[in-house]
């Protein structure tokens, strides 16, 4: 980083409040540029900051490491349920050792009586936890048998979002935001590249390692991680923008609910959320049988997204439509049955065959 | 004249709330008010200045104005809720329990209890005084009918804060000419010292392999403190991270004077007095804009939207290598300190409480 910009005001020059704010904005822009340069040069590899956080969590109590590990916690309870009445008697003075030993001996019957009851209570509590943990594990096993087969990532074609109809609208919505922008389910990372070229500090995640191979070869900051897993470890209000595409369309309703909650909290106030989705109608018709049959959920209408996002403090600011347009042309009016047939065609076009995709832009307001 | 008495859970020396309580008592007495301090507990050296809170019931007068210094859970809350006298909350913030969950469950429960006490007290108070707009908004959120923002009464600097020469020499020998990052505050999850360690690691890789991080403050959450130092050791920073606690005023001043930059990456702050101390010490500041930090700092430092190590390392480097920027920030810090001048704050407290003492009903 250049230590001082040549045209920076010198320290002796008095600035008014607006001038000071402008000056600090320029300094922040320099700092952001330095971080971007470090990322581009490989000094700040993709995922390094997250690895540091994960390393820290290794030193935290068990409950903080992802989901609480019940058996480990239980072992801690068991190990602390024993109370030792053999008080250490070592002392720097000989007489001290003697006095301590005497106290221990004379108090032994008393402490033993009290400790016996404490230990009895502790073991009762521990036994109760063992029963609870056994029940929880039974429940987990039962829930496991109810799971539907997972959609293999390999069945999902690698997305090339950078060359889609909606890419320019997504870039326009995110250009100028200050801070990191995440593209979740980034496919080949092409939209991340386009965003970076537009001056956006973007990175991507995608569950498919094969899908992001080309992006990694290009040196783009993308990571092989599922969208929800990644958002779990992102700090609150850490992102200035987010693009959700790909599997966001077919998430299980529970997972979609988690996604909306996490996306809202991870996004800074005034952060921009961009969602690309197929319409429910076009998705069934255009998606591969494997994906449409095994996907845990179905795409939502844009109106439903708007409603869900509004509940979480986001306001929709733009809605673009595009993609495959399979609308049928009306028949010529020379045909005597044209009015009736064309009315039916209009209804079918509106309900089933209109623009097959949409891009929704929303801003976090609170 | 109406008496204005204060209630504080614990009156302790070298404690921000304790110092504030004593300074406010002095200001009120100087203005002619009768003013006593009632406590649940006090340090041995300060018991002669305080009275056990239950004794107040014997001395109460209907026109008394009671000021509760609220920052933690205490039986004082229930006692004051049952009192008929008018109550003023002087709120110093309660850290959300989520920061302590899994680190220290009993602390999480204690702050949760403190928060529930605040929820009960806020609507019952005639006025809420907060040391930041951030804290005032919490009081309003919980139903406090009126609020005023008045900074905490703390003496920044003074004769006691002259750097201890022996400590300065020791610190100088310890790190030579390496860059020193300083943070002062309890070792506690909401202060996020682990992010400072991460930032130091990156800073050493990118800019200065000998850089040091000095952390000053008590390890009030031992599990968190151990994790912070274990992280430092695992990153090869065992010797680069120094911890200072139980420092005298002179020693603390030496740690401030020894540092190159004050870095605060807290995720929750209700005011952050060390920012003012850093300004007084002439240190440039890099801070994460969480909680009340932006309003305490204003333009007297680099305010970051994120506490990720990359951006922190780059910001610290910019500050320590850009002299005009550093000078400008230090000058802005000195200007900022004027807003917290004890004489102004004392006058404001006396004005607000005095006005209230003269009224019999609630303030509009």
């Amino acid at each position: 980083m250049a230590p001082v910009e040549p045209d920076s005001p010198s320290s002796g020059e008095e600035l008014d409040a607006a001038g000071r704010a402008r000056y600090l904005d320029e300094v922040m822009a320099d700092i952001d540029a330095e971080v971007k340069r470090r990322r581009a040069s490989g000094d700040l590899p993709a995922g390094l900051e997250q690895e540091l956080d994960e390393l820290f969590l290794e030193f935290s109590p068990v409950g903080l490491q992802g989901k609480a590990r019940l058996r480990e916690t239980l072992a801690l309870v068991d190990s602390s349920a024993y109370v030792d009445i053999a008080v250490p008697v070592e002392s720097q003075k000989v007489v001290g050792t003697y006095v301590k030993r005497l106290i221990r001996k004379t108090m032994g019957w008393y402490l033993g009586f009290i400790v016996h009851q404490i230990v009895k209570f502790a073991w009762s509590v521990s036994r109760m936890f063992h029963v609870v943990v056994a029940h929880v594990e039974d429940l987990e096993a039962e829930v496991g048998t109810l799971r539907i087969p997972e959609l293999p990532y390999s069945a999902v074609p690698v997305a090339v979002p950078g060359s889609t109809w909606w890419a320019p609208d997504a870039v326009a919505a995110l250009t100028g935001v200050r801070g990191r922008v995440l593209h979740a389910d980034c496919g080949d990372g092409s939209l991340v590249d386009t965003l970076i070229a537009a001056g956006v500090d973007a990175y991507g995640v995608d569950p498919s390692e094969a899908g992001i191979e080309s992006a990694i070869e290009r040196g783009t900051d993308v990571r092989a991680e599922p969208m929800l897993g990644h958002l779990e470890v992102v700090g609150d209000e850490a992102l200035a923008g987010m693009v959700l595409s790909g599997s966001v369309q077919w998430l299980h309703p529970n997972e979609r609910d988690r996604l909306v909650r996490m996306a809202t909290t991870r996004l800074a106030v005034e952060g921009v959320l961009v969602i690309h989705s197929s319409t429910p109608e076009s998705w069934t018709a255009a998606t591969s049988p494997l994906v449409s049959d095994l996907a845990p959920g179905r795409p939502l209408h844009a109106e439903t997204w708007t409603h869900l996002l509004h509940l979480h403090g986001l306001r929709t600011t733009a809605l673009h439509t595009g993609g495959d347009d399979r609308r049928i042309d009306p028949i010529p009016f020379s045909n005597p049955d044209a009015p009736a047939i064309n009315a039916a065609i209009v209804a079918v076009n509106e309900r089933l065959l209109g623009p097959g995709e949409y891009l929704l832009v929303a801003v976090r307001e609170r | 004249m109406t008496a204005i008495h204060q209630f504080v859970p614990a009156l302790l020396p070298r404690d921000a709330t304790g110092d504030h309580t004593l300074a406010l008592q002095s200001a009120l007495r100087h203005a002619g008010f009768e003013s006593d301090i009632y406590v649940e507990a006090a340090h041995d050296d300060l018991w002669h200045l305080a009275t056990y809170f239950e004794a107040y019931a014997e001395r109460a007068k209907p026109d008394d104005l009671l000021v509760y210094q609220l920052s933690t859970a205490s039986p004082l809350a229930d006692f004051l809720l049952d009192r008929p006298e008018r109550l003023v909350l002087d709120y110093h913030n309660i850290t959300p329990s989520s920061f302590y969950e899994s680190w220290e469950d009993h602390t999480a429960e204690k702050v949760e209890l403190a928060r529930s006490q605040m929820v009960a007290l806020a609507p019952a108070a005639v006025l809420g005084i907060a040391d930041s707009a951030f804290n005032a908004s919490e009081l309003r959120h919980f139903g406090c009918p009126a609020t005023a923002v008045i900074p905490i009464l703390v003496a920044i600097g003074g004769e006691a804060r002259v750097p201890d020469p022996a400590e300065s020499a020791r610190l100088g020998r310890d790190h030579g000419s390496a860059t020193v990052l300083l943070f002062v505050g309890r070792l506690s999850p909401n202060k996020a010292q682990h992010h400072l360690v991460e930032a130091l690691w990156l800073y050493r890789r990118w800019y200065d392999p000998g850089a040091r991080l000095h952390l000053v403050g008590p390890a009030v959450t031992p599990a968190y403190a151990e994790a912070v130092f274990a992280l430092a050791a695992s990153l090869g920073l065992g010797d680069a991270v120094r911890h200072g606690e139980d420092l005298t005023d002179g020693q603390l001043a030496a740690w401030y004077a020894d540092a190159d930059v004050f870095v605060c990456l807290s995720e929750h702050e209700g005011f952050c007095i060390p920012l003012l101390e850093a300004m007084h010490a002439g240190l440039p500041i890099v801070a994460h804009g969480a909680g009340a930090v932006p309003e305490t700092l204003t333009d007297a430092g680099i305010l970051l939207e994120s506490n990720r190590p990359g951006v922190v390392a780059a910001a610290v480097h910019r500050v320590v290598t850009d002299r005009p920027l550093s000078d400008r920030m230090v000058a802005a810090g000195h200007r900022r300190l004027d807003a917290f001048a004890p004489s102004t704050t004392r006058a404001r407290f006396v004005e607000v409480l005095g006005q209230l003492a003269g009224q019999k009903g609630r303030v509009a």
Side-chain angles (χ1 to χ4, degrees):
Chain A
M1 177 171 25
V4 192
E5 291 294 313
D7 54 353
S8 294
S10 70
S11 57
E13 186 185 334
E14 280 301 322
L15 294 175
D16 59 10
R20 288 199 297 271
R22 254 196 323 275
Y23 174 55
L24 286 176
D25 279 349
E26 285 167 17
V27 171
M28 272 315 302
D30 287 347
I31 291 167
D32 286 343
E34 163 74 351
V35 176
K36 282 183 196 172
R37 194 183 66 71
R38 291 278 175 182
R39 279 208 183 92
S41 69
D43 283 348
L44 186 56
L48 177 70
E49 291 175 313
Q50 190 187 334
E51 282 170 25
L52 286 170
D53 284 346
E54 285 168 2
L55 178 63
F56 175 64
L57 287 182
E58 285 181 20
F59 302 109
S60 67
V62 287
L64 284 178
Q65 295 179 21
K67 54 184 179 180
R69 286 182 281 179
L70 284 175
R71 288 283 169 192
E72 283 186 37
T73 312
L74 200 53
L76 281 179
V77 172
D78 288 346
S79 65
S80 51
Y82 175 72
V83 181
D84 189 0
I85 62 164
V87 184
V89 293
E90 290 77 20
S91 174
Q92 290 175 342
K93 296 175 183 169
V94 178
V95 68
T97 304
Y98 175 76
V99 170
K100 285 181 179 176
R101 191 174 290 137
L102 187 67
I103 292 172
R104 186 169 78 177
K105 199 171 177 182
T106 51
M107 294 287 288
W109 62 274
Y110 174 79
L111 289 176
F113 180 74
I114 302 289
V115 165
H116 173 71
Q117 292 171 78
I118 293 171
V119 170
K120 204 169 153 190
F121 171 72
W123 281 110
S124 304
V125 172
S126 168
R127 261 203 303 280
M128 181 194 74
F129 280 128
H130 276 274
V131 171
V132 170
V133 168
H135 272 288
V136 169
E137 286 174 347
D138 287 349
L139 279 172
E140 282 179 344
E142 203 164 314
V143 169
T145 61
L146 299 176
R147 285 209 179 97
I148 55 167
E150 275 195 14
L151 170 63
Y153 294 135
S154 56
V156 183
V158 174
V160 188
S163 51
T164 54
W165 67 269
W166 53 272
D169 291 324
V171 173
L174 290 161
T175 300
V177 297
R178 280 182 54 180
R180 295 225 83 189
V181 171
L182 165 69
H183 181 190
D185 268 26
C186 66
D188 71 343
S190 49
L191 182 60
V192 174
D193 289 337
T194 312
L195 285 166
I196 290 171
V200 179
D201 187 9
Y203 73 108
V205 297
D206 195 284
S208 166
E209 285 190 20
I212 62 169
E213 247 173 37
S214 59
I216 289 175
E217 281 169 16
R218 292 194 305 275
T220 306
D221 184 1
V222 294
R223 308 157 196 187
E225 286 178 45
M227 169 178 11
L228 289 166
H230 177 74
L231 286 175
E232 286 276 6
V233 296
V234 170
D236 280 354
E237 305 200 352
L239 297 172
M242 211 181 299
V243 181
L244 303 177
S245 62
S247 69
V248 66
Q249 304 173 76
W250 58 77
L251 284 177
H252 186 279
N254 286 344
E255 292 196 318
R256 188 168 53 226
D257 189 47
R258 265 181 70 211
L259 171 69
V260 172
R261 276 186 285 115
M262 282 199 288
T264 309
T265 52
R266 277 29 170 191
L267 208 56
V269 175
E270 296 185 9
V272 177
L273 177 66
V274 176
I275 296 176
H276 167 258
S277 175
S278 301
T279 62
E281 296 81 11
S282 79
W283 186 72
T284 313
T287 309
S288 76
L290 202 61
V291 173
S292 72
D293 288 346
L294 291 182
R298 296 286 177 273
L300 300 178
H301 291 95
E303 293 83 351
T304 312
W305 270 118
T306 298
H307 169 74
L308 288 176
L309 295 175
H310 176 72
L311 290 178
H312 288 82
L314 283 101
R315 179 173 52 88
T316 300
T317 55
L319 178 64
H320 308 276
T321 54
D324 281 346
D325 191 341
R326 296 172 298 132
R327 276 181 285 202
I328 304 165
D329 292 331
I331 63 169
F333 280 102
S334 54
N335 186 319
D337 295 325
I341 292 172
N342 284 341
I345 286 175
V346 168
V348 169
N349 278 345
E350 277 180 3
R351 286 176 195 156
L352 297 174
L353 305 174
E357 299 167 30
Y358 60 85
L359 186 82
L360 186 144
V361 181
V363 174
R364 183 181 166 193
E365 290 191 312
R366 57 176 195 270
Chain B
M1 188 179 261
T2 303
I4 305 175
H5 298 305
Q6 295 183 80
F7 287 75
V8 60
L11 190 63
L12 304 172
R14 300 166 55 75
D15 167 71
T17 307
D19 292 348
H20 170 77
T21 305
L22 290 169
L24 182 55
Q25 183 193 41
S26 161
L28 290 169
R29 284 182 171 174
H30 193 255
F33 290 99
E34 185 190 335
S35 182
D36 293 329
I37 296 172
Y38 293 91
V39 301
E40 182 194 349
H43 189 275
D44 286 348
D45 295 344
L46 298 178
W47 255 120
H48 68 287
L49 301 174
T51 308
Y52 187 62
F53 71 96
E54 286 182 347
Y56 173 73
E58 305 283 315
R59 309 171 182 184
K61 291 180 201 148
D63 286 347
D64 285 354
L65 189 62
L66 310 184
V67 180
Y68 181 35
Q69 303 294 343
L70 173 57
S71 62
T72 184
S74 164
L76 291 182
D78 291 336
F79 176 81
L80 290 169
L81 264 179
D82 288 341
R83 297 297 315 169
E85 295 81 14
R86 289 167 302 154
L87 173 67
V88 173
L89 290 183
D90 194 355
Y91 180 51
H92 305 286
N93 195 264
I94 298 165
T95 306
S97 60
S98 56
F99 283 105
Y100 297 105
E101 280 163 9
S102 298
W103 286 108
E104 206 166 72
D105 290 343
H106 65 274
T107 305
E109 283 169 22
K110 191 174 180 188
V111 293
E112 202 53 52
L113 173 63
R115 203 157 269 271
S116 68
Q117 290 181 339
M118 181 177 76
V119 171
L121 286 165
V126 292
L127 177 71
I129 298 176
D131 39 28
S132 64
F134 175 77
N135 286 344
S137 72
E138 279 196 9
L139 283 176
R140 281 196 300 277
H141 177 74
F142 289 115
C144 197
T147 56
V149 177
I150 312 178
I152 191 168
L153 268 167
V154 284
I156 304 294
E159 282 178 17
R161 286 290 173 89
V162 174
D164 178 335
E167 187 74 352
S168 296
R170 191 184 68 76
L171 291 168
R173 279 196 304 276
D174 188 41
H175 60 72
S177 60
T179 309
V180 175
L181 287 65
L182 172 71
F183 176 68
V184 178
R186 293 174 285 121
L187 274 150
S188 173
N190 64 303
K191 306 281 183 184
Q193 281 95 343
H194 64 285
H195 285 319
L196 285 164
V197 172
E198 294 171 354
L200 174 73
W201 182 75
L202 216 45
Y203 184 81
R204 284 165 64 103
R205 273 173 51 138
W206 289 358
Y207 306 111
D208 179 357
R212 302 295 185 99
L213 171 64
H214 287 178
L215 298 174
V216 177
V220 293
T221 311
Y224 178 73
E226 284 167 20
V228 168
F229 294 118
L231 172 69
S234 74
L235 291 172
L237 302 173
D239 292 334
V241 178
R242 286 274 185 270
H243 179 211
E245 57 182 335
D246 296 327
L247 302 179
T248 64
D249 284 345
Q251 286 171 330
L252 178 61
W255 284 62
Y256 272 110
D258 175 70
D260 294 292
V261 56
F262 186 85
V263 189
C264 169
L265 302 184
S266 295
E267 289 173 348
H268 181 94
E269 288 283 0
F271 182 76
C272 200
I273 291 171
L275 288 175
L276 305 189
E277 293 176 334
M279 290 174 199
H280 176 79
L283 274 181
I285 296 169
V286 171
H288 175 222
V293 168
E295 59 177 297
T296 304
L297 186 61
T298 62
D299 62 356
I302 297 286
L303 202 56
L304 303 176
E305 291 171 4
S306 146
N307 57 9
R308 306 307 298 140
V311 72
V312 175
V316 167
H317 178 65
R318 175 64 187 257
V319 165
V320 297
T321 55
D322 183 344
R323 189 61 190 266
L325 169 65
S326 169
D327 289 347
R328 193 171 287 280
M329 278 167 37
V330 170
H334 287 137
R335 275 197 304 275
R336 182 67 187 135
L337 274 179
D338 292 342
F340 302 101
S343 55
T344 314
T345 308
R346 263 200 305 271
R348 180 87 178 112
F349 262 107
V350 170
E351 179 197 348
V352 169
L353 292 175
Q355 193 184 8
L356 207 53
Q359 298 171 359
K360 304 293 178 195
R362 288 172 173 255
V363 262

